Amino acid sequence: MTSKFREDFDVEKSAPRDRFTKLLFDLRMPEELAEWPPLHVNKRKCNNARNRTLCCLLIIVLLFLIGNVIFLNVRILSINTVTPFSTSLSANAQQCLSQYTLNAPSSPSSYPCSTCLPTLQTVPSSYLSSNPQNAQQILNAIQFCGLRAIFDTANSQGQASLGWVNDVKFCAWNGVTCDGSGRVANLQLTFPGVPATLPNELGALTGLESLQVIGGDSIPAGALPSSFTNLTILSNLHIEATAITQLPDNLFSSLTSITTLTLIRNPTMGSSLPSSLTQLPLQNLVINSQSLTNPLPTLSSSPALQTSLKLLDLSSTSLTGPIPNTISSISSLTQLLLSNNNLQPPFPTTFQSSLQILNLQNNTALTGTIPNSLCNSTLLTSCELGSTGLSGGCGLCQLS
């Protein structure tokens, strides 16, 4: 191709662009600027520079898109690998949730707790944290089933009279109190509204802080359910007039929050206390009207109890043997109630200065002299020593 022909070709090729450029200038620029003569530039150099720029931009865009695709694939793989089911329920759990939400309010007794309770208890915490509304309904269904199991194994007439299972609003049921998040916090079961045995589903009430069971002497019976150790924030346990058998020795290794333990008239519970009891930060220990092998030496030697125990009431428990001198090691003790037992000498030579109430009545075999720590106490407000063999009455501690 000759030089002349190439120049003519270039001029002809660029003519439409020159006309388009002039049109843009005529539209956008002031009239006087539109009259300016066009600049003479090398079109080939401009085209080459523009093409290189476009190529660079295209490469950058492609790299950006490829990077995004790789990042998204890695993120999806990570989510599927680390937290499966974090945003969805299993089919069974979804069905249980739907049935509780839609059907249980009108027919609470027909809700399939036997299958839905274990299903809902295994819903991952990642789902619960990302779905708060459903999480609350799942929590409600779990607690409803835990309480309904008590109803199902109880005297139905006595329990029905308390208004249980007429609806799913369990926080309004008689003897049930919930905390601010809607969890069952306090549960009081009183005869005749008590179950024949404490069901394993009771362990589903993991928010329980206080449990009081006052039975009908022969019921509830049997052992505590294995799930009882799930009640890890339980602080007050009261069991009275039941046929519950001996407490497991390691029970309080799990129930480490217990501060008040009350056991009254439970004749089948045995005469020894769980060894794990001495690990508790107990403030109040009340055991009445059931036989005990004297636990005073063990209790008063426990480092945990020496700093926490305030009330020790072992009245009417057939205690034999002496009150150990280590009783004075319980530095926070304010009430010591050991009446109606078979305590024997020697009598302690000192009592803790924090003591406010002492009752040793009806321990006829107990002999010895009342120590000065009791006679001179400024905090003691009651001292009952009648019907004992003690001598040397003084101050509040009179023997008549």
mmCIF file of all heavy atoms in Angstrom, residues 91-121:
data_model
loop_
_atom_site.group_PDB
_atom_site.id
_atom_site.type_symbol
_atom_site.label_atom_id
_atom_site.label_comp_id
_atom_site.label_asym_id
_atom_site.label_seq_id
_atom_site.Cartn_x
_atom_site.Cartn_y
_atom_site.Cartn_z
ATOM 1 N N ALA A 91 -35.387 -31.322 59.393
ATOM 2 C CA ALA A 91 -36.811 -31.483 59.076
ATOM 3 C C ALA A 91 -37.610 -31.851 60.325
ATOM 4 O O ALA A 91 -38.710 -31.330 60.553
ATOM 5 C CB ALA A 91 -36.977 -32.553 57.995
ATOM 6 N N ASN A 92 -37.047 -32.729 61.164
ATOM 7 C CA ASN A 92 -37.759 -33.139 62.377
ATOM 8 C C ASN A 92 -37.906 -31.988 63.359
ATOM 9 O O ASN A 92 -38.965 -31.792 63.962
ATOM 10 C CB ASN A 92 -37.024 -34.307 63.045
ATOM 11 C CG ASN A 92 -37.144 -35.599 62.264
ATOM 12 O OD1 ASN A 92 -38.063 -35.755 61.462
ATOM 13 N ND2 ASN A 92 -36.227 -36.524 62.484
ATOM 14 N N ALA A 93 -36.821 -31.208 63.503
ATOM 15 C CA ALA A 93 -36.883 -30.071 64.425
ATOM 16 C C ALA A 93 -37.867 -29.021 63.924
ATOM 17 O O ALA A 93 -38.606 -28.418 64.705
ATOM 18 C CB ALA A 93 -35.501 -29.472 64.601
ATOM 19 N N GLN A 94 -37.879 -28.800 62.602
ATOM 20 C CA GLN A 94 -38.816 -27.834 62.033
ATOM 21 C C GLN A 94 -40.258 -28.275 62.260
ATOM 22 O O GLN A 94 -41.129 -27.460 62.591
ATOM 23 C CB GLN A 94 -38.553 -27.664 60.529
ATOM 24 C CG GLN A 94 -39.430 -26.619 59.852
ATOM 25 C CD GLN A 94 -39.234 -25.241 60.432
ATOM 26 O OE1 GLN A 94 -38.127 -24.704 60.384
ATOM 27 N NE2 GLN A 94 -40.279 -24.652 60.982
ATOM 28 N N GLN A 95 -40.505 -29.569 62.111
ATOM 29 C CA GLN A 95 -41.855 -30.085 62.332
ATOM 30 C C GLN A 95 -42.264 -29.936 63.798
ATOM 31 O O GLN A 95 -43.396 -29.540 64.108
ATOM 32 C CB GLN A 95 -41.933 -31.541 61.906
ATOM 33 C CG GLN A 95 -43.345 -32.130 61.986
ATOM 34 C CD GLN A 95 -43.400 -33.560 61.479
ATOM 35 O OE1 GLN A 95 -42.387 -34.220 61.342
ATOM 36 N NE2 GLN A 95 -44.592 -34.037 61.196
ATOM 37 N N CYS A 96 -41.332 -30.221 64.720
ATOM 38 C CA CYS A 96 -41.639 -30.075 66.148
ATOM 39 C C CYS A 96 -41.911 -28.620 66.506
ATOM 40 O O CYS A 96 -42.818 -28.315 67.296
ATOM 41 C CB CYS A 96 -40.472 -30.608 66.989
ATOM 42 S SG CYS A 96 -40.325 -32.417 66.986
ATOM 43 N N LEU A 97 -41.138 -27.718 65.923
ATOM 44 C CA LEU A 97 -41.341 -26.298 66.179
ATOM 45 C C LEU A 97 -42.684 -25.837 65.645
ATOM 46 O O LEU A 97 -43.428 -25.114 66.325
ATOM 47 C CB LEU A 97 -40.200 -25.492 65.550
ATOM 48 C CG LEU A 97 -40.311 -23.968 65.640
ATOM 49 C CD1 LEU A 97 -40.373 -23.520 67.094
ATOM 50 C CD2 LEU A 97 -39.138 -23.306 64.922
ATOM 51 N N SER A 98 -43.026 -26.270 64.441
ATOM 52 C CA SER A 98 -44.301 -25.884 63.838
ATOM 53 C C SER A 98 -45.480 -26.426 64.645
ATOM 54 O O SER A 98 -46.475 -25.722 64.872
ATOM 55 C CB SER A 98 -44.383 -26.392 62.397
ATOM 56 O OG SER A 98 -43.366 -25.820 61.601
ATOM 57 N N GLN A 99 -45.368 -27.671 65.082
ATOM 58 C CA GLN A 99 -46.460 -28.259 65.861
ATOM 59 C C GLN A 99 -46.652 -27.529 67.187
ATOM 60 O O GLN A 99 -47.785 -27.317 67.628
ATOM 61 C CB GLN A 99 -46.182 -29.743 66.120
ATOM 62 C CG GLN A 99 -46.398 -30.625 64.904
ATOM 63 C CD GLN A 99 -46.165 -32.087 65.234
ATOM 64 O OE1 GLN A 99 -45.113 -32.470 65.731
ATOM 65 N NE2 GLN A 99 -47.161 -32.915 64.984
ATOM 66 N N TYR A 100 -45.543 -27.129 67.807
ATOM 67 C CA TYR A 100 -45.679 -26.418 69.081
ATOM 68 C C TYR A 100 -46.302 -25.042 68.871
ATOM 69 O O TYR A 100 -47.132 -24.593 69.661
ATOM 70 C CB TYR A 100 -44.317 -26.275 69.763
ATOM 71 C CG TYR A 100 -44.423 -25.613 71.120
ATOM 72 C CD1 TYR A 100 -44.858 -26.329 72.232
ATOM 73 C CD2 TYR A 100 -44.121 -24.261 71.291
ATOM 74 C CE1 TYR A 100 -44.982 -25.733 73.479
ATOM 75 C CE2 TYR A 100 -44.249 -23.650 72.533
ATOM 76 C CZ TYR A 100 -44.681 -24.391 73.616
ATOM 77 O OH TYR A 100 -44.819 -23.781 74.842
ATOM 78 N N THR A 101 -45.905 -24.386 67.788
ATOM 79 C CA THR A 101 -46.396 -23.029 67.522
ATOM 80 C C THR A 101 -47.850 -23.026 67.081
ATOM 81 O O THR A 101 -48.641 -22.180 67.513
ATOM 82 C CB THR A 101 -45.525 -22.359 66.442
ATOM 83 O OG1 THR A 101 -44.153 -22.388 66.859
ATOM 84 C CG2 THR A 101 -45.955 -20.923 66.216
ATOM 85 N N LEU A 102 -48.226 -23.995 66.237
ATOM 86 C CA LEU A 102 -49.555 -23.967 65.616
ATOM 87 C C LEU A 102 -50.585 -24.833 66.337
ATOM 88 O O LEU A 102 -51.742 -24.424 66.494
ATOM 89 C CB LEU A 102 -49.446 -24.430 64.154
ATOM 90 C CG LEU A 102 -48.524 -23.593 63.260
ATOM 91 C CD1 LEU A 102 -48.432 -24.212 61.866
ATOM 92 C CD2 LEU A 102 -49.016 -22.149 63.161
ATOM 93 N N ASN A 103 -50.173 -26.019 66.806
ATOM 94 C CA ASN A 103 -51.159 -26.978 67.339
ATOM 95 C C ASN A 103 -51.209 -27.034 68.865
ATOM 96 O O ASN A 103 -52.284 -27.195 69.448
ATOM 97 C CB ASN A 103 -50.858 -28.384 66.797
ATOM 98 C CG ASN A 103 -50.881 -28.436 65.287
ATOM 99 O OD1 ASN A 103 -51.597 -27.658 64.649
ATOM 100 N ND2 ASN A 103 -50.110 -29.332 64.689
ATOM 101 N N ALA A 104 -50.046 -26.924 69.503
ATOM 102 C CA ALA A 104 -50.008 -27.104 70.957
ATOM 103 C C ALA A 104 -50.871 -26.103 71.735
ATOM 104 O O ALA A 104 -51.479 -26.478 72.738
ATOM 105 C CB ALA A 104 -48.566 -27.046 71.443
ATOM 106 N N PRO A 105 -50.957 -24.842 71.306
ATOM 107 C CA PRO A 105 -51.794 -23.912 72.087
ATOM 108 C C PRO A 105 -53.239 -24.368 72.240
ATOM 109 O O PRO A 105 -53.860 -24.130 73.277
ATOM 110 C CB PRO A 105 -51.703 -22.601 71.287
ATOM 111 C CG PRO A 105 -50.357 -22.675 70.626
ATOM 112 C CD PRO A 105 -50.200 -24.117 70.255
ATOM 113 N N SER A 106 -53.801 -25.017 71.224
ATOM 114 C CA SER A 106 -55.189 -25.471 71.302
ATOM 115 C C SER A 106 -55.312 -26.899 71.820
ATOM 116 O O SER A 106 -56.367 -27.306 72.294
ATOM 117 C CB SER A 106 -55.856 -25.368 69.922
ATOM 118 O OG SER A 106 -55.172 -26.166 68.971
ATOM 119 N N SER A 107 -54.222 -27.674 71.730
ATOM 120 C CA SER A 107 -54.260 -29.062 72.198
ATOM 121 C C SER A 107 -52.925 -29.432 72.836
ATOM 122 O O SER A 107 -52.143 -30.208 72.277
ATOM 123 C CB SER A 107 -54.568 -30.004 71.018
ATOM 124 O OG SER A 107 -54.652 -31.346 71.444
ATOM 125 N N PRO A 108 -52.627 -28.872 74.017
ATOM 126 C CA PRO A 108 -51.306 -29.077 74.632
ATOM 127 C C PRO A 108 -50.998 -30.523 74.976
ATOM 128 O O PRO A 108 -49.843 -30.937 74.929
ATOM 129 C CB PRO A 108 -51.363 -28.202 75.891
ATOM 130 C CG PRO A 108 -52.814 -27.965 76.147
ATOM 131 C CD PRO A 108 -53.483 -27.980 74.825
ATOM 132 N N SER A 109 -52.007 -31.310 75.320
ATOM 133 C CA SER A 109 -51.750 -32.694 75.721
ATOM 134 C C SER A 109 -51.393 -33.589 74.541
ATOM 135 O O SER A 109 -50.883 -34.691 74.736
ATOM 136 C CB SER A 109 -52.966 -33.264 76.450
ATOM 137 O OG SER A 109 -54.104 -33.230 75.616
ATOM 138 N N SER A 110 -51.660 -33.125 73.315
ATOM 139 C CA SER A 110 -51.374 -33.951 72.141
ATOM 140 C C SER A 110 -49.986 -33.688 71.551
ATOM 141 O O SER A 110 -49.569 -34.380 70.622
ATOM 142 C CB SER A 110 -52.431 -33.713 71.059
ATOM 143 O OG SER A 110 -52.358 -32.382 70.561
ATOM 144 N N TYR A 111 -49.280 -32.714 72.080
ATOM 145 C CA TYR A 111 -47.956 -32.413 71.536
ATOM 146 C C TYR A 111 -47.010 -33.589 71.802
ATOM 147 O O TYR A 111 -46.922 -34.082 72.937
ATOM 148 C CB TYR A 111 -47.397 -31.144 72.177
ATOM 149 C CG TYR A 111 -46.074 -30.708 71.582
ATOM 150 C CD1 TYR A 111 -45.997 -30.233 70.287
ATOM 151 C CD2 TYR A 111 -44.894 -30.780 72.333
ATOM 152 C CE1 TYR A 111 -44.794 -29.838 69.735
ATOM 153 C CE2 TYR A 111 -43.688 -30.382 71.794
ATOM 154 C CZ TYR A 111 -43.642 -29.913 70.501
ATOM 155 O OH TYR A 111 -42.440 -29.527 69.956
ATOM 156 N N PRO A 112 -46.288 -34.069 70.775
ATOM 157 C CA PRO A 112 -45.462 -35.290 70.915
ATOM 158 C C PRO A 112 -44.145 -35.035 71.628
ATOM 159 O O PRO A 112 -43.069 -35.053 71.033
ATOM 160 C CB PRO A 112 -45.242 -35.713 69.456
ATOM 161 C CG PRO A 112 -45.276 -34.424 68.682
ATOM 162 C CD PRO A 112 -46.287 -33.559 69.386
ATOM 163 N N CYS A 113 -44.219 -34.825 72.936
ATOM 164 C CA CYS A 113 -43.012 -34.522 73.711
ATOM 165 C C CYS A 113 -41.987 -35.650 73.667
ATOM 166 O O CYS A 113 -40.773 -35.404 73.706
ATOM 167 C CB CYS A 113 -43.396 -34.226 75.159
ATOM 168 S SG CYS A 113 -44.077 -32.561 75.419
ATOM 169 N N SER A 114 -42.443 -36.875 73.604
ATOM 170 C CA SER A 114 -41.517 -38.011 73.657
ATOM 171 C C SER A 114 -40.507 -37.981 72.523
ATOM 172 O O SER A 114 -39.358 -38.398 72.692
ATOM 173 C CB SER A 114 -42.294 -39.332 73.630
ATOM 174 O OG SER A 114 -43.074 -39.420 72.448
ATOM 175 N N THR A 115 -40.919 -37.479 71.362
ATOM 176 C CA THR A 115 -39.997 -37.383 70.226
ATOM 177 C C THR A 115 -39.438 -35.977 70.058
ATOM 178 O O THR A 115 -38.287 -35.803 69.661
ATOM 179 C CB THR A 115 -40.685 -37.808 68.918
ATOM 180 O OG1 THR A 115 -41.869 -36.992 68.723
ATOM 181 C CG2 THR A 115 -41.086 -39.264 68.956
ATOM 182 N N CYS A 116 -40.230 -34.972 70.361
ATOM 183 C CA CYS A 116 -39.803 -33.597 70.099
ATOM 184 C C CYS A 116 -38.823 -33.074 71.152
ATOM 185 O O CYS A 116 -37.957 -32.258 70.831
ATOM 186 C CB CYS A 116 -41.017 -32.673 70.001
ATOM 187 S SG CYS A 116 -41.908 -32.832 68.425
ATOM 188 N N LEU A 117 -38.946 -33.511 72.409
ATOM 189 C CA LEU A 117 -38.025 -33.010 73.422
ATOM 190 C C LEU A 117 -36.575 -33.349 73.083
ATOM 191 O O LEU A 117 -35.726 -32.443 73.029
ATOM 192 C CB LEU A 117 -38.407 -33.533 74.807
ATOM 193 C CG LEU A 117 -37.480 -33.116 75.948
ATOM 194 C CD1 LEU A 117 -37.384 -31.605 76.055
ATOM 195 C CD2 LEU A 117 -37.936 -33.716 77.272
ATOM 196 N N PRO A 118 -36.224 -34.615 72.830
ATOM 197 C CA PRO A 118 -34.822 -34.891 72.489
ATOM 198 C C PRO A 118 -34.390 -34.255 71.177
ATOM 199 O O PRO A 118 -33.218 -33.892 71.010
ATOM 200 C CB PRO A 118 -34.772 -36.428 72.415
ATOM 201 C CG PRO A 118 -36.187 -36.868 72.234
ATOM 202 C CD PRO A 118 -37.028 -35.860 72.930
ATOM 203 N N THR A 119 -35.340 -34.094 70.242
ATOM 204 C CA THR A 119 -35.008 -33.469 68.960
ATOM 205 C C THR A 119 -34.650 -32.005 69.147
ATOM 206 O O THR A 119 -33.638 -31.514 68.633
ATOM 207 C CB THR A 119 -36.184 -33.594 67.977
ATOM 208 O OG1 THR A 119 -36.445 -34.973 67.713
ATOM 209 C CG2 THR A 119 -35.879 -32.887 66.662
ATOM 210 N N LEU A 120 -35.460 -31.281 69.892
ATOM 211 C CA LEU A 120 -35.232 -29.846 70.080
ATOM 212 C C LEU A 120 -34.042 -29.573 70.997
ATOM 213 O O LEU A 120 -33.404 -28.524 70.890
ATOM 214 C CB LEU A 120 -36.494 -29.192 70.639
ATOM 215 C CG LEU A 120 -37.713 -29.207 69.703
ATOM 216 C CD1 LEU A 120 -38.917 -28.572 70.379
ATOM 217 C CD2 LEU A 120 -37.402 -28.491 68.387
ATOM 218 N N GLN A 121 -33.733 -30.507 71.875
ATOM 219 C CA GLN A 121 -32.587 -30.309 72.768
ATOM 220 C C GLN A 121 -31.257 -30.364 72.014
ATOM 221 O O GLN A 121 -30.238 -29.901 72.535
ATOM 222 C CB GLN A 121 -32.590 -31.367 73.881
ATOM 223 C CG GLN A 121 -33.617 -31.106 74.967
ATOM 224 C CD GLN A 121 -33.621 -32.174 76.036
ATOM 225 O OE1 GLN A 121 -33.682 -33.370 75.735
ATOM 226 N NE2 GLN A 121 -33.540 -31.769 77.291
#
